[in-house]
Amino acid sequence: MSDNGKIPFLDLVTPHLALEEELLLIFRSALRTAVFVGGEMVDEFEQEFARFCGVQYCVGVGSGTDALRFALIAAGVQPGNTVITVPNTFIATTEAISQAGAVPDFVEIDERTYNMDASKLHEYLETRCYIQEATGKLLNRATGRPVTAVVPVHLYGQMANMDRILDVAEQHKLVVIEDACQAHGAEYFSGQQNRWKGAGSIGRAAAFSFYPGKNLGACGEAGAVTTNDPLLSEKVRMLRDHGQRQKYQHEVEGYNGRLDGIQAGILRTKLHYLVDWNRKRREKARNYNELLSSEVDVVTVPCEPSWARAVYHLYVIRVQNRDQLQAHLAQANIASQIHYPTPLHLQKAYTGLGYKRGDFPVSEKTASEILSLPMYPSLELDQQERIVQKVCEFVSVQSASRWHPSLQPASLS
Ligand SMILES: *Cc1c(COP(=O)(O)O)cnc(C)c1O
């Protein structure tokens, strides 16, 4: 690798070249049976992915967004309900809530893990909601809407603190649907059950995305719902296929949200490598942590609590003057991204919810300081060294310029 060779943010080519022959076999077998939607390959993948997650049921669907929407509807979320999530997530989380007919609302994140702060969920339910005597329903005081579900997101492949969230949710009779779209294979130590549990096996149901860039990615769009609830899994099966269990017997209005046979076959093949890929991601994360350890005062590395084993879908650092650091890396041919630059409560799409800047200060502050560095199983140590060298170069000039204002970061180039 030459010194200023480009380091991409994501490398999706290398793993597919390595698996090319295996993946072509899937395609060939699909051509020869012409089972393109549903079928045996879907059934087999569902069984293996359920086992991988440590649940009884997995239902393959068209995308992670479908998975979230179907899980919410099947779990009983009704039109007009409020469903709570976090402002620091991909918009698909809240789109799915709206598509289920509900209205998203937010609680703040924890500054260390960037995931839902269970104490903020508790505070929301205790101070902004009340129980309506006649119905026993939990209603939001301001909107009068029933609050019925919560969607914690395991963002960046880091687990949300599920024991605490489940506790609070149970006290207030909320359904918990995990957004595990970035967390295939992540684990959480449940103190209550005294054992490690997989992402997607903890709430009432969970949604996974197999968008190509996810830790387990299809060669196109795909997703899945996981659950231990047989009725919920049956409902998702109907919802993904026009509300039918038997052909042309439509019990409800459903959707076209099925999983392709070819994608299922590809996912099943790749699933065999996922443990190894996740191990490599964890190794890269450790490398970054060690290489950045001299800069802990100025560069915040990801926090992995003792109760979590993250799978580093993204490796996210936090720095002052993030935009300048990103530009500095770009000059050195190093790609980086921001997940996510604008918290959802400040997105134009959600002006209707009536939030303003200052409503979620932790989400807003972190959004201006986070930067995702390149992270993928084929990332090499010398690439990581070069990336960190550039980060250190930037922060050292930054701290020098605090004493010598004339020495601006631009002088680095
Ligand atoms: C990718 C993603 C989704 C949506 O998945 P799609 O397959 O793109 O529909 C939902 N939530 C989060 C956190 C995601 O990262």
Side-chain angles (χ1 to χ4, degrees), residues 85-133:
T85 188
V86 286
N88 182 32
T89 180
F90 181 52
I91 193 171
T93 314
T94 45
E95 282 175 333
I97 292 169
S98 302
Q99 289 164 8
V103 179
D105 205 354
F106 303 108
V107 297
E108 186 63 287
I109 57 168
D110 179 307
E111 184 154 4
R112 290 156 306 166
T113 63
Y114 312 117
N115 279 324
M116 182 177 283
D117 183 336
S119 66
K120 291 291 161 53
L121 176 64
H122 180 76
E123 186 183 305
Y124 177 102
L125 297 168
E126 291 290 325
T127 63
R128 303 193 31 206
C129 304
Y130 71 101
I131 292 173
Q132 188 181 41
E133 295 236 348

Side-chain angles (χ1 to χ4, degrees), residues 63-65 68 89-90 92-93 153 155 179 181-182 209-211 214 221-222 340:
S63 68
T65 312
L68 270 171
T89 180
F90 181 52
T93 314
V153 183
L155 202 69
D179 182 339
C181 288
Q182 299 190 1
S209 165
F210 305 119
Y211 185 74
K214 303 292 164 90
E221 304 276 357
Y340 296 90

Side-chain angles (χ1 to χ4, degrees), residues 253-303:
E253 249 190 17
Y255 299 83
N256 176 352
R258 296 164 303 218
L259 177 58
D260 281 1
I262 290 173
Q263 299 305 343
I266 286 168
L267 288 167
R268 181 170 174 242
T269 302
K270 288 190 180 183
L271 180 57
H272 302 154
Y273 298 89
L274 182 57
V275 168
D276 187 53
W277 288 337
N278 280 344
R279 186 184 56 72
K280 290 198 170 114
R281 284 176 184 270
R282 289 179 57 78
E283 183 187 300
K284 315 293 163 196
R286 261 198 316 277
N287 294 345
Y288 271 136
N289 289 347
E290 278 165 27
L291 292 165
L292 285 165
S293 59
S294 58
E295 308 294 339
V296 282
D297 294 341
V298 276
V299 179
T300 306
V301 300
C303 159

